[in-house]
Amino acid sequence: MTDTHTNGSSSPSRRALIGWGGAGLALGAAAAGGAVAMANAGNDVDPVAAEAGGAVAFHGAHQAGIATPVQDRLHFAAFDVKTDDRAEFVRMLKDWTAAARRMTAGEPVGEGAYGGLAEAPPDDTGEALGLKPSRLTLTIGFGPSLFDKFGLRDERPAALVDLPKFPGDNLDGARTGGDLCVQACADDPQVAVHAIRNLARIGFGKVAIRWSQLGFGKTSSTTPDAQTPRNLMGFKDGTRNIAGTETDRLKKFVWVADGDGPRWMTGGSYLVARRIRMNIETWDRTSLQEQEDVFGRDKREGAPVGRAKEHDKPFLKAMKPDAHVRLAHPDSNDGITILRRGYSFTDGTDGLGRLDAGLFFLAYQRDVRQGFIPLQRRLSAHDALNEYIQHVGSAVFAVPPGVRDAGDWWGRTLFSKEA
Ligand code: HEM
């Protein structure tokens, strides 16, 4: 991350006029917008992003971080709103956007981490100075409970349903829900953590983090030619997914189209987040045959039962009736397809000598009612994997369309009438 102050107008005296800590953001970032704006022609997949350490375009028809090739690390945060002042909340969204625009370009927030007024806390916390943009993407989502606030009741999309309780759910309220969320993905964990920390700092008094999750070891691939990563059960995960280059499938299954619901969501998507704990110790004592039967794929190659290669078409009938892949495959679900973008997590131990580890499942879809819900109904009732996992956290968010240009901001289509 470069630590240059791109904004020549950020003199201490000017800043002093605005006030203390963080208040200089709006000005600094507005000026910086031009410097960092990168057109992405309405597509999340920027060629620069393929280069390790590069920047992913922030502006576009869709938010980055959905179809973008999956980065190595995650810091996901769900926030609760603490203000009932709509104008103040909108100001925060604008400040967040300005900060996100800068951080995704590898620039520090506002006037930077040093060099400003000595009596004020710096605008940026500083730990990402000298680090590359690391393909950081920041993706915002609005939870169902946000629509009970700020007079937004009529704007709540019908597709933003409260998720039903599924068999086997053991949800912890402290890891569930949230008025809004930010998904930070980057190849460098410090860059992702820096981004969430600085957004939380800017939001102080207006929002507070309700829960958060760090993730590593992506469990999905959104690039067709990349090696499929393995999950903590040791299996390749993400073999059959929607690739960021599959424009037609993204359009059909991921992006909200005109007429799907309220206009403000056109170009957006819906996100389901589930913290799924794995009973790692039980799994590790399970025979290889049973492990392979559970998924319906072999451990070494990731090939479907009865096939030789990972990407061979699965022959579902050759799998056990309760095999995960057989149950989750579109052919068993009237064609239902979701974009999975999950990460592994290990949050220490649970006090009983077991790892608190699993999969932080993230799935994007055009409509949750024709995506996660029917899929999870089937899986929660029949999946052989259920013996080894437990869903312990859950949230759903409406993810608005992308920020178009330097003058645009997160949530404008929802909060601004001229949208
Ligand atoms: C800890 C929990 C889970 C683990 C370890 C897991 C693991 C896997 C693995 C190893 C595969 C096969 C490779 C692949 O095609 O990616 C797979 C496929 C899949 N999983 Fe999961 N999964 C989990 C939870 C879920 C949940 C909650 C859903 C949706 C509600 C889901 C939906 C799918 C789908 C749609 C496929 C692709 C099926 C196909 O098209 O062949 N998974 N999963």
Side-chain angles (χ1 to χ4, degrees), residues 236-240 295 324-325 328-330 340 361 376 379:
K236 291 184 182 172
D237 202 336
T239 304
R240 289 182 55 88
F295 287 112
H324 180 71
V325 165
H329 194 281
R340 290 172 293 140
F361 175 90
Q376 183 55 17
L379 292 177

Side-chain angles (χ1 to χ4, degrees), residues 13 19 25 39 80 84 88 98-99 126 175 195 200 257 268 297 306-307 314 330 353 363 369 374 379 394:
S13 58
L25 280 173
D80 279 338
D84 49 18
E88 185 181 42
R175 296 185 192 275
R297 287 182 174 271
R307 304 282 194 234
R369 295 165 301 178
L379 292 177
S394 176

